[in-house]
Amino acid sequence: MTIRRLPETLVNRIAAGEVIERPAAAVKELVENSLDAGARRVDVSLRDGGKAWICVADDGEGMGPEDLGLALQRHATSKLPDDDLVRIATLGFRGEALPSIGAVARLAIVSRPRGAAEAWRIAVEGGSPPEVAPAALGGGTRVEVRDLFFATPARLKFLKSARSEVMAVRDSLERLAMAHPGVAFSLVHEERTLFRHEAESGDLFDARLKRLGAVMGRAFQDNALALDALREGLQLTGYIGLPTLNRANALGQYLFVNGRPVRDRLLLGAIRGAYQDFLARDRHPMVALFLEVPPEEVDVNVHPAKAEVRFRDPGLVRGLIVSACRHALAEAGHRASTTVAQAALGALRPGLGGGGGGGPSYAFGAGGGARGGYGGTLPRSLAEAAAGYHAPLGGGLPAFDHAPSARGEAPATEGEAAPGAGDFPLGAARAQLHATYVVAQTAEGIVIVDQHAAHERLVYERMKRQIAASGVSRQLLLVPEVVELEEAAAERLLARAPELAELGLVVEGFGGGTLLVRETPALLGQVDVQGLLRDLADELGELDQALSLKERLEEVCGTLACHGSVRAGRRLTVEEMNALLREMEATPHSGQCNHGRPTYVELKLSDIERLFGRR
């Protein structure tokens, strides 16, 4: 067989296989074009998950007839005026999206430049020669894609259900919406509006937080910590969630580089490293990070869909993310997520899933009548019988058989504030329940503290400070252990040998893929050196950081902290309880234990009053 040049139509279909693999990819490319054109509003409509029809309309600059004719030619773009692939300042730059879509679908574009007297339309079907003709449009650009992949039926067979494709489109569009809070976005499927985000006003931080709240949920907006860090020309902004606001997967982590949504292993690994002290390995924080990098310091032309990037100095990027996140978490102090209190209140409220009983719950309204959980009124005889159980007790309260767990302070007289309640964020201790939970009164409600989890965190933070001050103790092996690895894995470990030495692991090269281990962290005691080094080499290759050793050291510290802390079942005096509260207020990260669980729950007085129907 002789070498021949492929037809232009087939070349475009091959390119479409790399760039347009599903409707979400087509929507992403079209919306990026809208944003590059300066659009302030982008509306996306779909039918059959985008397989039958996609429409993207914007109010951007628009195109004239000459530009429309060139827009469907491969590698024709307005975004590289100096032919510079290093300093890329736009979302798109290859000029592949429109010809790729036109090669596998029926594509029509109507556009009207700002200030022009008329609009123009161009259409192409499966790569056929396009024709430009006058059309009607108020302004901006409207792109319609019909019968996606009709020219490549094999690709059509691999698409998922309409629901799955719509969810993929929504995820892609909402990522772009988070990066551009000043632009309005909407998504409609089969005449049903899935979301509509109006353009946010105000400064960038406030506008971005409002948009993140609209996409990621009100819980994230209420429990997000702001980031704003600058290092060697790199700027990191955004918001990260408190450790107690976590999920079972990493779907709540959104990363942007120069306004471009990316999925990067380096960035995900940096987030995991920043939270490794606060979450169990199977829990993931919620974050939205926006990294601004000089264009010459990042390569965005390494992935067909531009979903990955490559940094010139990945260590600098990772260090910036880890340090900025940890600084924000430290400044949060003892703060815990408000979702903890909401979950507790939800369990207490009748009829909201808190109880496991199968019968209906009843509520007593302001009029004193009893009503069923389904909204009906109880018969008079049953209402009178039920009211008897809520009447004041005539004989007074019976005496308790058990003595109180701790001596409480004298109750405040009516109209007098409880002593010390409003002086501290976590209030003043009032009692201890079941020798496990400390109840404190604040100026606005009550705080319930798990004494063991709270003290465990305090001891753990104290141990971390001691290790940071004196370093990790090492134990010298009488006979150095020889570990055989692949050469690439051994080189990764040797390149990070100084960092590993700071953690107590001394590694030397012994030729080829052989390593010599002379010292190990004393905290680990008897350690499987072979397995540890293999895990470290794998993590350095995947995440560019040595988490195994750090997590093992932290696990030992956590175990020691657990055994050295106040145990559940120990009765505390009022002075001891208040001392615990004051130390929690002064210690960073004391709002959650080492596994991301809350150490305390705060209930506002207004919420408690609502529980009892007072509000």
Side-chain angles (χ1 to χ4, degrees), residues 18-102:
E18 295 180 348
V19 180
I20 311 298
E21 79 276 9
R22 64 191 306 185
V27 171
K28 171 181 174 293
E29 295 290 343
L30 295 176
V31 173
E32 285 182 349
N33 283 342
S34 298
L35 295 172
D36 286 338
R40 306 300 297 173
R41 181 171 199 89
V42 180
D43 298 311
V44 179
S45 302
L46 307 173
R47 290 182 193 152
D48 192 22
K51 292 179 280 187
W53 183 65
I54 298 172
C55 178
V56 177
D58 66 59
D59 60 352
E61 293 181 3
M63 295 178 286
E66 297 81 7
D67 287 342
L68 272 177
L70 284 173
L72 295 181
Q73 302 295 319
R74 290 197 70 214
H75 304 305
T77 181
S78 61
K79 302 169 186 178
L80 294 176
D82 301 323
D83 298 335
D84 189 355
L85 271 178
V86 176
R87 294 175 176 84
I88 296 175
T90 54
L91 295 174
F93 55 88
R94 294 181 183 142
E96 287 185 321
L98 291 177
S100 296
I101 296 173

Side-chain angles (χ1 to χ4, degrees), residues 162-492:
R163 177 181 174 83
S164 297
E165 297 300 336
V166 168
M167 295 306 295
V169 170
R170 177 169 187 162
D171 178 71
S172 179
L173 189 58
E174 287 192 323
R175 288 176 184 269
L176 290 168
M178 284 189 278
H180 300 86
V183 179
F185 290 84
S186 70
L187 176 61
V188 177
H189 181 243
E190 304 287 2
E191 309 300 328
R192 175 171 168 258
T193 301
L194 300 184
F195 71 77
R196 187 178 301 276
H197 301 315
E198 296 301 329
E200 303 293 349
S201 57
D203 62 54
L204 180 60
F205 269 87
D206 291 341
R208 186 174 282 166
L209 183 58
K210 293 175 185 176
R211 177 59 58 83
L212 293 177
V215 176
M216 301 176 67
R218 181 63 183 271
F220 180 80
Q221 184 176 353
D222 292 341
N223 298 282
L225 307 174
L227 292 184
D228 189 2
L230 184 66
R231 181 184 295 180
E232 298 184 25
L234 276 64
Q235 184 175 21
L236 179 69
T237 58
Y239 292 88
I240 62 173
L242 290 167
T244 43
L245 182 69
N246 55 67
R247 299 179 63 169
N249 53 48
L251 295 180
Q253 297 177 3
Y254 299 93
L255 309 170
F256 305 86
V257 177
N258 292 349
R260 185 189 309 278
V262 298
R263 294 178 175 89
D264 190 88
R265 291 185 302 172
L266 168 68
L267 302 182
L268 292 174
I271 293 171
R272 179 182 166 189
Y275 278 85
Q276 65 181 353
D277 270 0
F278 317 112
L279 291 177
R281 296 196 68 166
D282 60 344
R283 305 301 299 179
H284 303 268
M286 297 181 68
V287 303
L289 299 181
F290 301 83
L291 183 64
E292 295 295 326
V293 186
E296 62 272 15
E297 296 295 325
V298 59
D299 187 357
V300 299
N301 194 23
V302 297
H303 190 274
K306 304 185 288 287
E308 297 179 5
V309 295
R310 186 171 297 154
F311 298 100
R312 178 171 292 181
D313 189 352
L316 176 63
V317 175
R318 181 189 175 277
L320 174 63
I321 292 175
V322 173
S323 62
C325 291
R326 287 186 172 174
H327 180 71
L329 291 171
E331 284 194 337
H334 66 274
R335 183 180 165 193
S337 168
T338 57
T339 56
V340 176
Q342 292 167 2
L345 289 167
L348 289 172
R349 287 193 184 102
L352 293 183
S361 57
Y362 296 98
F364 289 85
R371 293 176 295 171
Y374 301 102
T377 304
L378 284 174
R380 181 180 180 87
S381 59
L382 290 180
E384 292 175 352
Y389 288 97
H390 294 267
L393 296 175
L397 290 173
F400 287 106
D401 295 333
H402 302 286
S405 296
R407 184 181 300 277
E409 298 183 20
T413 60
E414 186 176 355
E416 177 188 351
D423 298 340
F424 305 99
L426 293 182
R430 293 293 177 241
Q432 183 187 31
L433 303 179
H434 301 288
T436 302
Y437 302 102
V438 175
V439 180
Q441 180 181 349
T442 66
E444 299 178 347
I446 65 172
V447 169
I448 305 173
V449 179
D450 182 336
Q451 67 187 38
H452 174 66
H455 197 245
E456 179 182 346
R457 184 77 207 188
L458 298 178
V459 174
Y460 179 69
E461 291 294 328
R462 200 177 303 140
M463 293 179 65
K464 280 171 53 183
R465 289 195 297 270
Q466 292 172 355
I467 290 177
S470 59
V472 179
S473 301
R474 306 174 186 171
Q475 57 184 0
L476 182 66
L477 301 181
L478 293 177
V479 179
E481 184 145 359
V482 179
V483 181
E484 297 281 349
L485 299 172
E486 297 177 358
E487 282 198 36
E491 288 176 1
R492 287 197 296 267

Side-chain angles (χ1 to χ4, degrees), residues 408-609:
E409 298 183 20
T413 60
E414 186 176 355
E416 177 188 351
D423 298 340
F424 305 99
L426 293 182
R430 293 293 177 241
Q432 183 187 31
L433 303 179
H434 301 288
T436 302
Y437 302 102
V438 175
V439 180
Q441 180 181 349
T442 66
E444 299 178 347
I446 65 172
V447 169
I448 305 173
V449 179
D450 182 336
Q451 67 187 38
H452 174 66
H455 197 245
E456 179 182 346
R457 184 77 207 188
L458 298 178
V459 174
Y460 179 69
E461 291 294 328
R462 200 177 303 140
M463 293 179 65
K464 280 171 53 183
R465 289 195 297 270
Q466 292 172 355
I467 290 177
S470 59
V472 179
S473 301
R474 306 174 186 171
Q475 57 184 0
L476 182 66
L477 301 181
L478 293 177
V479 179
E481 184 145 359
V482 179
V483 181
E484 297 281 349
L485 299 172
E486 297 177 358
E487 282 198 36
E491 288 176 1
R492 287 197 296 267
L493 288 170
L494 289 175
R496 306 296 280 270
E499 179 184 337
L500 296 176
E502 293 178 2
L503 297 173
L505 184 65
V506 178
V507 180
E508 298 176 2
F510 202 57
T514 306
L515 297 177
L516 208 62
V517 180
R518 295 191 178 276
E519 297 178 64
T520 60
L523 275 174
L524 297 183
Q526 197 74 19
V527 61
D528 176 12
V529 176
Q530 302 271 350
L532 176 61
L533 259 64
R534 287 192 177 89
D535 290 346
L536 290 172
D538 290 343
E539 287 182 343
L540 287 174
E542 181 181 0
L543 303 173
D544 195 37
Q545 55 185 317
L547 287 176
S548 291
L549 184 54
K550 295 179 181 178
E551 288 178 348
R552 292 190 188 192
L553 288 171
E554 288 159 3
E555 185 178 353
V556 173
C557 288
T559 303
L560 294 175
C562 180
H563 288 282
S565 60
V566 172
R567 310 295 294 179
R570 175 183 165 186
R571 295 185 176 180
L572 305 177
T573 65
V574 173
E575 290 75 16
E576 289 173 329
M577 291 188 284
N578 279 317
L580 177 66
L581 296 175
R582 300 295 81 78
E583 191 173 356
M584 287 177 65
E585 293 165 351
T587 304
H589 321 307
S590 62
Q592 60 277 327
C593 73
N594 306 345
H595 306 292
R597 292 188 296 269
T599 57
Y600 73 90
V601 176
E602 182 175 8
L603 303 179
K604 299 295 185 182
L605 184 60
S606 58
D607 293 325
I608 299 174
E609 289 174 341

